[in-house]
Amino acid sequence: PNVELVLVSQSGERHEIRFAAVPRRGPQGTIEGVVAVGHDITDLKLLASEQAREAEDMAHLIKSANAPIIGVDVGCHIMEWNGKMTSMTGYTKDEVFGRP
């Protein structure tokens, strides 16, 4: 199983580490300990946090824009429909979501 821990260096720098652990077995096959290999995921966590913030900002921009905004998937099905589209057409996002 994977375990994530925050390690703090002597200088106070924080590192988020994901450890993958496996049992260490002795000659008789009994578990005598654990071997854990770590991977520093600090930058990955920061990137994921930044992407989430940007997605939230974009969603707010789309929702509050005074311009009609529509988003479609690769099959041209409506996936996004903002308030201006609703006020112009009378259709809500729920009514058009997934339609071509």
Side-chain angles (χ1 to χ4, degrees):
N2 290 334
V3 175
E4 292 182 12
L5 299 173
V6 176
L7 301 179
V8 181
S9 69
Q10 286 182 337
S11 65
E13 188 176 0
R14 294 172 50 93
H15 296 275
E16 295 195 40
I17 311 294
R18 178 177 294 144
F19 288 96
V22 295
R24 186 175 62 84
R25 297 186 183 273
Q28 307 302 325
T30 58
I31 296 175
E32 294 182 349
V34 173
V35 175
V37 177
H39 179 73
D40 189 339
I41 59 170
T42 305
D43 291 341
L44 181 63
K45 289 278 194 160
L46 290 172
L47 179 61
S49 177
E50 179 65 19
Q51 287 175 330
R53 188 186 62 74
E54 288 177 5
E56 188 176 301
D57 289 350
M58 183 61 72
H60 176 71
L61 176 66
I62 290 169
K63 183 177 180 181
S64 64
N66 194 28
I69 298 175
I70 185 173
V72 298
D73 64 12
V74 295
C76 290
H77 296 93
I78 297 171
M79 304 305 289
E80 190 57 63
W81 184 270
N82 74 346
K84 187 65 174 180
M85 287 296 293
T86 297
S87 67
M88 291 174 63
T89 66
Y91 293 106
T92 67
K93 181 178 178 178
D94 287 342
E95 291 173 307
V96 298
F97 190 84
R99 290 187 174 190

